[in-house]
Amino acid sequence: MSTRIEAIYEGGVLKTLSPLKDIQEHSRVTITVETTSVVDQFRGLVKIDPAVAAEIIDSADYSFLET
């Protein structure tokens, strides 16, 4: 069986954000950890005109690469 859950890592412990209904107490499970990227965390929070976004992307002034 496979169940996808979200959790927070606090004090060395993964804490689920919602109850796990299909898993009994003391069950042994295997966990795969995927961290959320900064882009995913802020997706939809910042509104920007597409033309301005394109200008920023194309501008050397905003490049994270050394030129």
Side-chain angles (χ1 to χ4, degrees), residues 5-24:
I5 63 163
E6 289 189 1
I8 293 178
Y9 185 71
E10 293 179 339
V13 177
L14 286 170
K15 298 179 181 181
T16 61
L17 298 179
S18 59
L20 303 176
K21 299 173 185 166
D22 297 332
I23 300 176
Q24 296 179 359

PDB file of all heavy atoms in Angstrom, residues 5-24:
ATOM      1  N   ILE A   5       1.687  11.644   2.195  1.00  0.00           N
ATOM      2  CA  ILE A   5       1.335  12.548   3.287  1.00  0.00           C
ATOM      3  C   ILE A   5       2.274  13.746   3.275  1.00  0.00           C
ATOM      4  O   ILE A   5       3.340  13.697   2.673  1.00  0.00           O
ATOM      5  CB  ILE A   5       1.415  11.852   4.659  1.00  0.00           C
ATOM      6  CG1 ILE A   5       2.857  11.405   4.942  1.00  0.00           C
ATOM      7  CG2 ILE A   5       0.461  10.692   4.744  1.00  0.00           C
ATOM      8  CD1 ILE A   5       3.126  11.088   6.362  1.00  0.00           C
ATOM      9  N   GLU A   6       1.890  14.800   3.962  1.00  0.00           N
ATOM     10  CA  GLU A   6       2.775  15.937   4.184  1.00  0.00           C
ATOM     11  C   GLU A   6       3.136  15.952   5.658  1.00  0.00           C
ATOM     12  O   GLU A   6       2.320  15.616   6.517  1.00  0.00           O
ATOM     13  CB  GLU A   6       2.096  17.234   3.777  1.00  0.00           C
ATOM     14  CG  GLU A   6       1.925  17.375   2.283  1.00  0.00           C
ATOM     15  CD  GLU A   6       1.455  18.763   1.885  1.00  0.00           C
ATOM     16  OE1 GLU A   6       1.272  19.621   2.769  1.00  0.00           O
ATOM     17  OE2 GLU A   6       1.289  18.977   0.684  1.00  0.00           O
ATOM     18  N   ALA A   7       4.367  16.350   5.944  1.00  0.00           N
ATOM     19  CA  ALA A   7       4.849  16.373   7.320  1.00  0.00           C
ATOM     20  C   ALA A   7       5.797  17.547   7.502  1.00  0.00           C
ATOM     21  O   ALA A   7       6.307  18.118   6.542  1.00  0.00           O
ATOM     22  CB  ALA A   7       5.554  15.066   7.655  1.00  0.00           C
ATOM     23  N   ILE A   8       6.028  17.888   8.765  1.00  0.00           N
ATOM     24  CA  ILE A   8       7.000  18.912   9.140  1.00  0.00           C
ATOM     25  C   ILE A   8       8.074  18.227   9.974  1.00  0.00           C
ATOM     26  O   ILE A   8       7.776  17.388  10.823  1.00  0.00           O
ATOM     27  CB  ILE A   8       6.334  20.042   9.951  1.00  0.00           C
ATOM     28  CG1 ILE A   8       5.353  20.811   9.073  1.00  0.00           C
ATOM     29  CG2 ILE A   8       7.373  20.980  10.543  1.00  0.00           C
ATOM     30  CD1 ILE A   8       4.615  21.921   9.798  1.00  0.00           C
ATOM     31  N   TYR A   9       9.322  18.606   9.731  1.00  0.00           N
ATOM     32  CA  TYR A   9      10.444  18.054  10.483  1.00  0.00           C
ATOM     33  C   TYR A   9      10.759  19.009  11.625  1.00  0.00           C
ATOM     34  O   TYR A   9      11.167  20.143  11.408  1.00  0.00           O
ATOM     35  CB  TYR A   9      11.649  17.884   9.554  1.00  0.00           C
ATOM     36  CG  TYR A   9      12.830  17.204  10.206  1.00  0.00           C
ATOM     37  CD1 TYR A   9      12.786  15.854  10.507  1.00  0.00           C
ATOM     38  CD2 TYR A   9      13.979  17.914  10.503  1.00  0.00           C
ATOM     39  CE1 TYR A   9      13.869  15.217  11.091  1.00  0.00           C
ATOM     40  CE2 TYR A   9      15.067  17.295  11.085  1.00  0.00           C
ATOM     41  CZ  TYR A   9      15.006  15.940  11.379  1.00  0.00           C
ATOM     42  OH  TYR A   9      16.074  15.319  11.961  1.00  0.00           O
ATOM     43  N   GLU A  10      10.540  18.575  12.854  1.00  0.00           N
ATOM     44  CA  GLU A  10      10.783  19.403  14.048  1.00  0.00           C
ATOM     45  C   GLU A  10      11.466  18.570  15.121  1.00  0.00           C
ATOM     46  O   GLU A  10      10.998  17.476  15.444  1.00  0.00           O
ATOM     47  CB  GLU A  10       9.472  19.936  14.623  1.00  0.00           C
ATOM     48  CG  GLU A  10       8.746  20.920  13.747  1.00  0.00           C
ATOM     49  CD  GLU A  10       7.431  21.391  14.361  1.00  0.00           C
ATOM     50  OE1 GLU A  10       6.883  20.705  15.248  1.00  0.00           O
ATOM     51  OE2 GLU A  10       6.964  22.442  13.949  1.00  0.00           O
ATOM     52  N   GLY A  11      12.540  19.088  15.652  1.00  0.00           N
ATOM     53  CA  GLY A  11      13.217  18.420  16.764  1.00  0.00           C
ATOM     54  C   GLY A  11      13.645  17.002  16.446  1.00  0.00           C
ATOM     55  O   GLY A  11      13.599  16.127  17.303  1.00  0.00           O
ATOM     56  N   GLY A  12      14.029  16.765  15.185  1.00  0.00           N
ATOM     57  CA  GLY A  12      14.487  15.435  14.803  1.00  0.00           C
ATOM     58  C   GLY A  12      13.378  14.443  14.532  1.00  0.00           C
ATOM     59  O   GLY A  12      13.631  13.258  14.365  1.00  0.00           O
ATOM     60  N   VAL A  13      12.123  14.926  14.476  1.00  0.00           N
ATOM     61  CA  VAL A  13      10.979  14.036  14.284  1.00  0.00           C
ATOM     62  C   VAL A  13      10.119  14.556  13.134  1.00  0.00           C
ATOM     63  O   VAL A  13       9.846  15.750  13.044  1.00  0.00           O
ATOM     64  CB  VAL A  13      10.120  13.968  15.572  1.00  0.00           C
ATOM     65  CG1 VAL A  13       8.887  13.110  15.365  1.00  0.00           C
ATOM     66  CG2 VAL A  13      10.946  13.452  16.731  1.00  0.00           C
ATOM     67  N   LEU A  14       9.678  13.651  12.264  1.00  0.00           N
ATOM     68  CA  LEU A  14       8.716  14.012  11.228  1.00  0.00           C
ATOM     69  C   LEU A  14       7.314  13.966  11.834  1.00  0.00           C
ATOM     70  O   LEU A  14       6.908  12.946  12.384  1.00  0.00           O
ATOM     71  CB  LEU A  14       8.790  13.041  10.045  1.00  0.00           C
ATOM     72  CG  LEU A  14       9.989  13.196   9.131  1.00  0.00           C
ATOM     73  CD1 LEU A  14      10.065  12.028   8.153  1.00  0.00           C
ATOM     74  CD2 LEU A  14       9.919  14.506   8.378  1.00  0.00           C
ATOM     75  N   LYS A  15       6.600  15.085  11.755  1.00  0.00           N
ATOM     76  CA  LYS A  15       5.243  15.171  12.300  1.00  0.00           C
ATOM     77  C   LYS A  15       4.268  15.333  11.148  1.00  0.00           C
ATOM     78  O   LYS A  15       4.365  16.275  10.365  1.00  0.00           O
ATOM     79  CB  LYS A  15       5.128  16.356  13.257  1.00  0.00           C
ATOM     80  CG  LYS A  15       6.045  16.239  14.448  1.00  0.00           C
ATOM     81  CD  LYS A  15       5.908  17.440  15.352  1.00  0.00           C
ATOM     82  CE  LYS A  15       6.852  17.307  16.541  1.00  0.00           C
ATOM     83  NZ  LYS A  15       6.727  18.442  17.459  1.00  0.00           N
ATOM     84  N   THR A  16       3.316  14.423  11.034  1.00  0.00           N
ATOM     85  CA  THR A  16       2.352  14.493   9.944  1.00  0.00           C
ATOM     86  C   THR A  16       1.416  15.682  10.144  1.00  0.00           C
ATOM     87  O   THR A  16       1.129  16.086  11.271  1.00  0.00           O
ATOM     88  CB  THR A  16       1.517  13.206   9.861  1.00  0.00           C
ATOM     89  OG1 THR A  16       0.794  13.027  11.066  1.00  0.00           O
ATOM     90  CG2 THR A  16       2.398  12.000   9.596  1.00  0.00           C
ATOM     91  N   LEU A  17       0.948  16.244   9.026  1.00  0.00           N
ATOM     92  CA  LEU A  17       0.049  17.388   9.088  1.00  0.00           C
ATOM     93  C   LEU A  17      -1.414  16.959   9.163  1.00  0.00           C
ATOM     94  O   LEU A  17      -2.285  17.787   9.419  1.00  0.00           O
ATOM     95  CB  LEU A  17       0.272  18.293   7.870  1.00  0.00           C
ATOM     96  CG  LEU A  17       1.666  18.898   7.764  1.00  0.00           C
ATOM     97  CD1 LEU A  17       1.782  19.756   6.517  1.00  0.00           C
ATOM     98  CD2 LEU A  17       1.989  19.728   9.005  1.00  0.00           C
ATOM     99  N   SER A  18      -1.675  15.684   8.947  1.00  0.00           N
ATOM    100  CA  SER A  18      -3.035  15.162   9.088  1.00  0.00           C
ATOM    101  C   SER A  18      -2.947  13.727   9.593  1.00  0.00           C
ATOM    102  O   SER A  18      -1.924  13.060   9.416  1.00  0.00           O
ATOM    103  CB  SER A  18      -3.777  15.224   7.747  1.00  0.00           C
ATOM    104  OG  SER A  18      -3.096  14.475   6.771  1.00  0.00           O
ATOM    105  N   PRO A  19      -4.007  13.235  10.229  1.00  0.00           N
ATOM    106  CA  PRO A  19      -3.981  11.863  10.767  1.00  0.00           C
ATOM    107  C   PRO A  19      -3.787  10.819   9.671  1.00  0.00           C
ATOM    108  O   PRO A  19      -4.222  11.003   8.544  1.00  0.00           O
ATOM    109  CB  PRO A  19      -5.357  11.702  11.405  1.00  0.00           C
ATOM    110  CG  PRO A  19      -5.904  13.076  11.558  1.00  0.00           C
ATOM    111  CD  PRO A  19      -5.263  13.912  10.503  1.00  0.00           C
ATOM    112  N   LEU A  20      -3.156   9.727  10.024  1.00  0.00           N
ATOM    113  CA  LEU A  20      -2.955   8.607   9.104  1.00  0.00           C
ATOM    114  C   LEU A  20      -3.972   7.526   9.451  1.00  0.00           C
ATOM    115  O   LEU A  20      -3.742   6.688  10.309  1.00  0.00           O
ATOM    116  CB  LEU A  20      -1.530   8.071   9.211  1.00  0.00           C
ATOM    117  CG  LEU A  20      -0.418   9.090   8.969  1.00  0.00           C
ATOM    118  CD1 LEU A  20       0.939   8.470   9.207  1.00  0.00           C
ATOM    119  CD2 LEU A  20      -0.522   9.650   7.571  1.00  0.00           C
ATOM    120  N   LYS A  21      -5.097   7.559   8.782  1.00  0.00           N
ATOM    121  CA  LYS A  21      -6.236   6.691   9.122  1.00  0.00           C
ATOM    122  C   LYS A  21      -5.971   5.219   8.858  1.00  0.00           C
ATOM    123  O   LYS A  21      -6.454   4.360   9.574  1.00  0.00           O
ATOM    124  CB  LYS A  21      -7.471   7.144   8.355  1.00  0.00           C
ATOM    125  CG  LYS A  21      -7.888   8.554   8.693  1.00  0.00           C
ATOM    126  CD  LYS A  21      -9.011   9.013   7.801  1.00  0.00           C
ATOM    127  CE  LYS A  21      -9.299  10.488   8.112  1.00  0.00           C
ATOM    128  NZ  LYS A  21     -10.119  11.124   7.110  1.00  0.00           N
ATOM    129  N   ASP A  22      -5.223   4.892   7.811  1.00  0.00           N
ATOM    130  CA  ASP A  22      -5.043   3.496   7.414  1.00  0.00           C
ATOM    131  C   ASP A  22      -3.813   2.831   8.023  1.00  0.00           C
ATOM    132  O   ASP A  22      -3.493   1.704   7.669  1.00  0.00           O
ATOM    133  CB  ASP A  22      -4.959   3.402   5.887  1.00  0.00           C
ATOM    134  CG  ASP A  22      -6.249   3.863   5.215  1.00  0.00           C
ATOM    135  OD1 ASP A  22      -7.318   3.744   5.843  1.00  0.00           O
ATOM    136  OD2 ASP A  22      -6.178   4.347   4.076  1.00  0.00           O
ATOM    137  N   ILE A  23      -3.116   3.519   8.920  1.00  0.00           N
ATOM    138  CA  ILE A  23      -1.905   2.960   9.517  1.00  0.00           C
ATOM    139  C   ILE A  23      -2.119   2.799  11.020  1.00  0.00           C
ATOM    140  O   ILE A  23      -2.471   3.746  11.715  1.00  0.00           O
ATOM    141  CB  ILE A  23      -0.681   3.863   9.236  1.00  0.00           C
ATOM    142  CG1 ILE A  23      -0.467   3.989   7.724  1.00  0.00           C
ATOM    143  CG2 ILE A  23       0.561   3.297   9.906  1.00  0.00           C
ATOM    144  CD1 ILE A  23       0.654   4.923   7.329  1.00  0.00           C
ATOM    145  N   GLN A  24      -1.907   1.590  11.505  1.00  0.00           N
ATOM    146  CA  GLN A  24      -2.093   1.317  12.927  1.00  0.00           C
ATOM    147  C   GLN A  24      -0.883   1.793  13.724  1.00  0.00           C
ATOM    148  O   GLN A  24       0.235   1.871  13.204  1.00  0.00           O
ATOM    149  CB  GLN A  24      -2.290  -0.182  13.159  1.00  0.00           C
ATOM    150  CG  GLN A  24      -3.549  -0.723  12.525  1.00  0.00           C
ATOM    151  CD  GLN A  24      -3.688  -2.222  12.761  1.00  0.00           C
ATOM    152  OE1 GLN A  24      -2.839  -2.852  13.381  1.00  0.00           O
ATOM    153  NE2 GLN A  24      -4.761  -2.791  12.245  1.00  0.00           N
TER     154      GLN A  24
END
